[in-house]
């Protein structure tokens, strides 16, 4: 098959949607070499990931409306058998050209928490999501929770949706010398809590800080990620409440160093208000580190038995979970063992095979 992909996020997004796109496409190319993979994107020459995908068939586009209006013509010209929109969107009228389409729907955050988005953006997203849900031959939902959201909010027939989790590969086998080098580089000699993710209101970093004020413990928090105005608000809170000695802001870390942070942490704390999935949860479990996460949306699904679940709106609840986790090596060990096993559900090989099975089904059906 000739399979086309919307590669905008693959080339230009460094976090969730981009990580999903790169891992899936790389996995497909590695495990199913018999197919050809075409990547449609603009400004590829400006991407830090260009070299990584240089052996793929790159199809650059031009014009501000190309991804929505002009892309269908290019896909038809390239004689694609199937097109996969990796992040919520499909080009207009492709369904009229006889090409099977798949779209991955990650979340409906703008519906669940509209205050986080300007009015115009919400309307545009809603139009795009609704169009994709209506015209795609099949929809991949990244969690059961997202599947339920699509059925409730967009009246999508259940049989049109396949739940295929994002690929989250296990880390490389630890190298003691490399681990020690990273630990020395960042001074990771004492136990710490870990937060990984964008620093924005939805991720609820302030909830962790409020819990630290309630908790009697003194364990520091290491924050991996960055943000805009919300990060400034968080940093002000840290200073105003005397937490500066206990909070370290690391910014973004190289991918090869992040597993060492997971392994050295006592637990990942991830009390997000809403997630379509929650990749850091599984990354932490792969590294044998238990998590404290929210009892809502997709997070119980992603974290499984490797977590203590909390009410994200209750700093007291988060603080209690931190106390349990820090005081019981037995609990941490039990959660670690169960979490590692649970994380095997999300390996790249399994996700790629489920995805390819869907492609093959569509290519041979009259769906």
């Amino acid at each position: 098959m000739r399979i086309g992909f919307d590669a905008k996020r693959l080339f230009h997004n460094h976090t969730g949607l981009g990580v999903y796109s790169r891992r899936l496409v790389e996995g497909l190319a590695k495990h199913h070499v018999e197919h050809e993979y075409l990547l449609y994107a603009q400004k590829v020459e400006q991407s830090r990931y260009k070299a990584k995908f240089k052996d793929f068939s790159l199809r650059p586009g031009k014009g501000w409306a190309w991804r929505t209006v002009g892309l269908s013509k290019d896909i038809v010209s390239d004689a694609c058998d199937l097109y996969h929109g990796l992040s919520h969107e499909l080009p207009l009228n492709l369904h009229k050209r006889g090409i099977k389409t798949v779209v991955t729907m990650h979340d409906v955050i703008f519906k669940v928490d509209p205050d986080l988005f300007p009015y115009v953006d919400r309307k545009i997203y809603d139009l795009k999501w609704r169009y994709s849900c209506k015209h795609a031959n099949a929809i991949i939902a990244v969690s059961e929770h997202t599947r339920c959201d699509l059925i409730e909010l967009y009246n999508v027939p259940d049989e049109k949706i396949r739940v295929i989790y994002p690929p989250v590969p296990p880390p490389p086998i630890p190298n003691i010398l490399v681990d020690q080098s990273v630990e020395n580089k960042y001074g990771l000699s004492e136990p710490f809590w870990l937060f990984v993710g964008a620093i924005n209101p939805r991720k609820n970093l302030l909830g962790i800080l409020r819990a630290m004020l309630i908790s009697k413990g003194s364990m520091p928090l290491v924050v991996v990620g960055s943000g805009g105005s919300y990060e400034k608000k968080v940093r002000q809170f840290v200073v105003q409440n005397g937490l500066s000695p206990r909070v370290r802001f690391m910014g973004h870390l190289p991918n090869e160093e992040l597993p060492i942070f997971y392994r050295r942490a006592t637990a990942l704390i991830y009390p997000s208000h809403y997630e379509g999935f929650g990749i850091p949860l599984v990354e932490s479990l792969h590294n044998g580190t238990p998590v404290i996460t929210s009892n809502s949306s997709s997070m119980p699904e992603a974290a499984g038995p490797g977590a203590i679940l909390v009410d994200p709106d209750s700093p007291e609840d988060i603080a209690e979970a931190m106390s349990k986790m820090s005081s019981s090596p037995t609990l941490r060990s039990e959660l670690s063992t169960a979490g590692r096993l649970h994380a095997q559900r999300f390996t790249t090989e399994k996700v790629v095979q489920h995805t390819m099975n869907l492609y093959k089904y569509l290519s041979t059906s009259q769906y």
Side-chain angles (χ1 to χ4, degrees), residues 272-328:
S272 177
H273 291 295
Y274 178 91
E275 294 292 327
F277 182 71
I279 287 175
L281 296 171
V282 181
E283 290 178 338
S284 186
L285 299 181
H286 267 313
N287 282 281
T289 299
V291 302
I292 297 170
T293 193
S294 304
N295 59 8
S296 57
S297 73
S298 66
M299 283 162 283
E301 191 178 344
I308 297 177
L309 301 180
V310 298
D311 178 356
D313 294 316
S314 171
E316 293 80 9
D317 207 13
I318 300 172
E320 182 180 353
M322 293 167 70
S323 177
K324 289 180 181 178
M325 191 75 81
S326 62
S327 63
S328 177

Side-chain angles (χ1 to χ4, degrees), residues 65 72 124 151 175 234 301 349:
S72 291
I124 293 173
I151 293 172
N175 180 304
V234 167
E301 191 178 344
E349 292 80 3

Side-chain angles (χ1 to χ4, degrees), residues 127-146:
L127 287 171
K128 289 181 175 181
W129 269 235
R130 192 174 302 278
Y131 181 89
S132 295
C133 287
K134 179 179 180 180
H135 293 295
N137 292 106
I139 296 169
I140 292 176
V142 299
S143 65
E144 289 286 350
H145 188 271
T146 295

Side-chain angles (χ1 to χ4, degrees), residues 203-321:
K203 301 291 186 182
N204 195 26
L205 182 52
L206 279 177
I208 302 176
L209 298 177
R210 293 188 175 103
M212 291 175 68
L213 292 176
I214 296 170
S215 172
K216 296 180 181 179
S218 59
M219 194 183 302
L221 172 69
V222 173
V223 177
V224 177
S226 63
S229 59
Y230 183 77
E231 181 177 351
K232 294 179 181 178
K233 184 178 179 180
V234 167
R235 288 178 177 270
Q236 289 173 355
F237 184 94
V238 168
V239 173
Q240 292 168 358
N241 289 275
L243 288 172
S244 295
R246 296 177 58 195
V247 181
R248 293 182 62 186
F249 292 92
M250 309 302 298
H252 291 287
L253 292 174
N255 290 336
E256 63 272 16
E257 293 182 349
L258 185 56
I260 291 91
F261 278 75
Y262 280 124
R263 287 196 289 270
R264 286 288 292 113
T266 297
L268 174 76
I269 309 182
Y270 200 79
S272 177
H273 291 295
Y274 178 91
E275 294 292 327
F277 182 71
I279 287 175
L281 296 171
V282 181
E283 290 178 338
S284 186
L285 299 181
H286 267 313
N287 282 281
T289 299
V291 302
I292 297 170
T293 193
S294 304
N295 59 8
S296 57
S297 73
S298 66
M299 283 162 283
E301 191 178 344
I308 297 177
L309 301 180
V310 298
D311 178 356
D313 294 316
S314 171
E316 293 80 9
D317 207 13
I318 300 172
E320 182 180 353

Side-chain angles (χ1 to χ4, degrees), residues 132-208:
S132 295
C133 287
K134 179 179 180 180
H135 293 295
N137 292 106
I139 296 169
I140 292 176
V142 299
S143 65
E144 289 286 350
H145 188 271
T146 295
R147 180 187 69 84
C148 292
D149 280 346
L150 294 174
I151 293 172
E152 177 184 352
L153 297 172
Y154 289 105
N155 298 313
V156 180
D158 189 20
E159 62 271 15
K160 192 175 186 177
I161 305 174
R162 298 281 185 93
V163 175
I164 302 178
Y165 295 110
V168 187
I173 297 173
N175 180 304
I176 294 177
L177 294 178
V178 173
D179 281 20
Q180 289 179 343
S181 175
V182 173
E183 290 169 9
N184 293 335
K185 175 181 177 180
Y186 294 103
L188 305 179
S189 58
E190 301 295 330
F192 60 89
W193 304 111
L194 180 65
F195 170 88
V196 176
I199 303 178
N200 60 41
R202 177 169 57 86
K203 301 291 186 182
N204 195 26
L205 182 52
L206 279 177
I208 302 176

Side-chain angles (χ1 to χ4, degrees), residues 17 38 119 365:
L17 298 181
L38 290 74
Y119 175 81
S365 73

